[in-house]
Amino acid sequence: MKKIIGRKEYDTENATLIKKYTYGCYGDPEGYEELLFQTPDEFYFVFVRGGENSPYPSEDIQRLSKDKVKQWLENHQ
C-alpha cells in the first residue's frame, strides 16, 4: 500500500518491516494487525488493517515519530 502524507510517500513495498502485532485471529470482526515499517530514509510508519468491528475497519498508513516508535514498541511486546 502507498500513501502520501505531507508530501512524503510511505510504501509498504519499499520499506523494511520491523515488527508485526496481531490482535485476534483471521476472520475475527474485532481482530486487527499493526505492522511497523521503516523507510530507506529512516522514517517510520504503521500499516493497519482489521475486521469491520476493529479499530481499523479499512487499511491505512499512519506515520510515527521516533519517540512514538519507542512507545509503540513498548506497548506491543
Side-chain angles (χ1 to χ4, degrees):
M1 176 179 190
K2 292 182 189 180
K3 184 174 182 179
I4 305 289
I5 303 172
R7 294 184 282 165
K8 169 83 177 121
E9 181 178 88
Y10 296 87
D11 183 358
T12 57
E13 294 293 320
N14 296 321
T16 302
L17 177 62
I18 296 173
K19 183 166 178 134
K20 178 179 178 179
Y21 174 78
T22 303
Y23 174 82
C25 58
Y26 183 78
D28 180 355
E30 295 180 1
Y32 61 90
E33 290 183 321
E34 297 179 351
L35 292 85
L36 176 64
F37 286 90
Q38 181 180 11
T39 68
D41 48 355
E42 298 188 15
F43 289 94
Y44 296 90
F45 65 94
V46 176
F47 171 69
V48 296
R49 62 181 165 205
E52 60 189 34
N53 297 329
S54 77
Y56 312 113
S58 60
E59 293 183 344
D60 195 15
I61 288 178
Q62 304 168 351
R63 66 181 173 181
L64 293 178
S65 67
K66 288 184 181 182
D67 290 338
K68 293 288 183 183
V69 169
K70 291 176 186 176
Q71 183 180 11
W72 188 93
L73 288 168
E74 289 172 0
N75 291 335
H76 295 83
Q77 292 186 12

